Amino acid sequence: MWRVGAPTISDVNEMTNVNDGEHATVDPVGVAGEPTAADMARPGAGNGAAAGSHSSRGEYKTPGGKLVGVTILRNAEAAAGEGGDGNAAVLCRLDGDFFVDDADNPGGDEAAGNHADAASALIADIERTLLGGQSARYAIARHPEVRLVGADAAAIDAAFARAWSGWSGRREARDPAPAAAPGAVAHPAASPAPAPMKNGTRDDDGEEAEWRRRWAALHPTVVVDEPRGPEEQMRIDEQWSRDVAQGRRGPTVRFWQWAAPAVVIGRFQSLPDEVHEDRAASEGFVVVRRCTGGGAMFIEPGNTITYSLYAPRSFVEGVGVEASYRLCDQWLIDALRGLGVDARFAGINDIASSHGKIGGAAQRRFAGPVGAVLHHVTMAYDIDAEKMGRILNVSAEKMSDKAVRSARKRVDPLRSQTGLSRGQIVDRLVGYLRKR
């Protein structure tokens, strides 16, 4: 059994500037009992769980950023045994809808037969470091080639503190936001990537002009794909990205056609904490994991528009990660505005209008002689909000900094904004790209 000496509660409080008294009025979380197969299916899960273990989970969302979750399995037998300190732990798992930019080893090197990546190494190191009683900032400092996007060490430490204490707070009655840990990676919402400046302010017009110039020079092949099942969609996305990275395929935009309903969770998300798996199965939804970070996608074939951009790394050269989302989606913003939609960028990776969220994007880099960036977007043409609410498990913490506290009410589908059929919208988007 793999077991690491775990920190005491006082150690955790010192990490995050939280004291025991501040947890007095918040709600307890965590389910006692043996870990299930679903528990072990989470990202980074090892084989250290044993009978008599108890799990607890903590979450933290930095305003304007992404959700971080930490689940701890504690060994009750070891804690109660002779010499036990009551805090023995067997497993720590970090998950969330954050992104990781592993630019120096993006997606592994296919030519070398290595599909391992620096992001996985960072996540594993953070988990070991937390159980060793230290802040996540120490692990992050050991991986300078990797950058968390949408989360930082302070958020991870806060989620771990909540998991360890067995408590999780509501926004109105919880421990205060942690102070930024010395040496922690700055949160992108607080320090966005630099953009062209004019008179001391960001020059949005200049930025958009540069993005349009890059798109005009890209000349991607536009493919309206055949219907594919969810598992095949994931395989195609990764394979075409590696083909571009190896120089076997030129720049391509692929419009997906879904053959079945699906829930697609992000690379670092926890399946049982994001999806009601039994309900998804009973309603015919296939649950798959994609190779990029970000949050869960609720897919019904007739209600969803998805596309992927497979571009050489040179397309995003010299552009920060956050800005690269705007670059890759500039054509989409322009095309939607041409359809009468008040489209705009929102947060790190969302496409929105004045009425709500239209869709979200995710990215990943791939190594190779040419290198590649995969950028894919899923937009809601229409949505069955009640069904989505039954299948997805959206935590209160995730919605804690939203003006609208319901995930169902945050989505503003394209159908209501355009009056066009899904097929007509796809045709217009394809036509816009082919005329560039």
Side-chain angles (χ1 to χ4, degrees):
M1 177 188 299
W2 171 62
R3 186 164 74 207
V4 179
T8 65
I9 292 296
S10 60
D11 291 332
V12 173
N13 290 338
E14 184 176 351
M15 287 163 54
T16 57
N17 297 321
V18 176
N19 62 59
D20 292 339
E22 289 165 336
H23 291 283
T25 61
V26 296
D27 294 333
V29 297
V31 179
E34 295 184 17
T36 65
D39 290 329
M40 302 310 296
R42 300 178 187 181
N47 296 314
S53 294
H54 298 264
S55 67
S56 61
R57 178 172 175 81
E59 295 180 344
Y60 186 82
K61 185 179 187 299
T62 304
K66 298 296 182 180
L67 181 77
V68 172
V70 173
T71 300
I72 296 173
L73 288 175
R74 284 183 278 184
N75 190 318
E77 294 177 359
E82 184 177 352
D85 62 2
N87 289 314
V90 293
L91 190 65
C92 171
R93 289 184 297 259
L94 171 65
D95 63 80
D97 58 3
F98 52 83
F99 301 97
V100 176
D101 178 32
D102 46 350
D104 284 0
N105 184 24
D109 187 349
E110 184 183 56
N114 171 27
H115 287 187
D117 59 84
S120 297
L122 170 63
I123 298 299
D125 195 6
I126 290 174
E127 292 169 343
R128 289 191 298 268
T129 300
L130 291 173
L131 280 180
Q134 292 184 313
S135 166
R137 65 186 172 93
Y138 292 103
I140 292 171
R142 288 191 290 268
H143 298 262
E145 77 284 4
V146 188
R147 188 167 78 89
L148 290 170
V149 179
D152 58 17
I156 295 170
D157 290 347
F160 180 78
R162 291 175 177 177
W164 192 257
S165 65
W167 299 95
S168 179
R170 294 186 295 267
R171 173 68 58 177
E172 65 271 20
R174 70 178 191 187
D175 50 280
V185 177
H187 191 282
S191 56
M197 303 293 286
K198 180 190 292 182
N199 299 325
T201 60
R202 198 176 92 182
D203 180 9
D204 289 329
D205 291 340
E207 180 183 82
E208 290 183 3
E210 170 61 14
W211 302 162
R212 293 185 183 110
R213 184 195 67 77
R214 293 195 184 210
W215 269 100
L218 186 63
H219 303 298
T221 298
V222 181
V223 175
V224 179
D225 203 7
E226 64 188 53
R228 300 181 188 271
E231 298 94 339
E232 187 179 10
Q233 298 281 24
M234 303 304 108
R235 290 195 298 270
I236 289 289
D237 232 17
E238 190 162 351
Q239 185 57 56
W240 285 24
S241 300
R242 296 191 187 281
D243 287 346
V244 172
Q246 295 298 319
R248 297 189 294 259
R249 175 183 292 275
T252 304
V253 174
R254 177 174 75 101
F255 284 87
W256 303 24
Q257 303 295 333
W258 292 91
V263 175
V264 184
I265 63 173
R267 180 183 178 190
F268 305 110
Q269 287 189 295
S270 164
L271 172 57
D273 290 303
E274 297 294 334
V275 183
H276 296 293
E277 296 175 77
D278 54 343
R279 299 177 191 173
S282 68
E283 300 207 33
F285 282 73
V286 178
V287 182
V288 293
R289 186 185 298 278
R290 64 181 182 272
C291 68
T292 58
M297 297 157 44
F298 179 77
I299 305 295
E300 290 187 289
N303 288 345
T304 305
I305 298 174
T306 303
Y307 84 87
S308 290
L309 165 66
Y310 315 92
R313 283 291 296 275
S314 58
F315 181 63
V316 295
E317 185 176 358
V319 179
V321 174
E322 292 85 356
S324 71
Y325 280 87
R326 300 192 295 274
L327 163 60
C328 291
D329 284 333
Q330 184 62 56
W331 79 270
L332 178 62
I333 294 293
D334 292 342
L336 290 176
R337 288 173 178 169
L339 296 177
V341 178
D342 178 27
R344 62 190 68 174
F345 298 112
I348 298 171
N349 62 312
D350 285 348
I351 305 295
S353 74
S354 56
H355 302 291
K357 180 177 176 178
I358 297 171
Q363 282 186 11
R364 187 173 179 183
R365 271 68 168 161
F366 289 81
V370 176
V373 57
L374 164 64
H375 178 96
H376 44 205
V377 173
T378 290
M379 297 180 287
Y381 168 69
D382 203 352
I383 192 164
D384 185 335
E386 293 300 322
K387 185 183 294 185
M388 182 180 72
R390 290 195 302 271
I391 292 174
L392 297 187
N393 181 24
V394 181
S395 71
E397 179 69 17
K398 185 178 179 69
M399 302 301 296
S400 61
D401 68 332
K402 307 296 183 184
V404 178
R405 297 300 177 91
S406 168
R408 306 179 196 183
K409 296 180 180 179
R410 288 185 62 231
V411 179
D412 187 28
L414 289 172
R415 179 179 182 178
S416 63
Q417 298 189 62
T418 64
L420 300 174
S421 70
R422 179 189 176 279
Q424 287 174 320
I425 293 176
V426 172
D427 287 345
R428 299 279 188 93
L429 296 179
V430 169
Y432 182 89
L433 275 174
R434 286 177 173 167
K435 290 177 182 177
R436 292 186 63 84

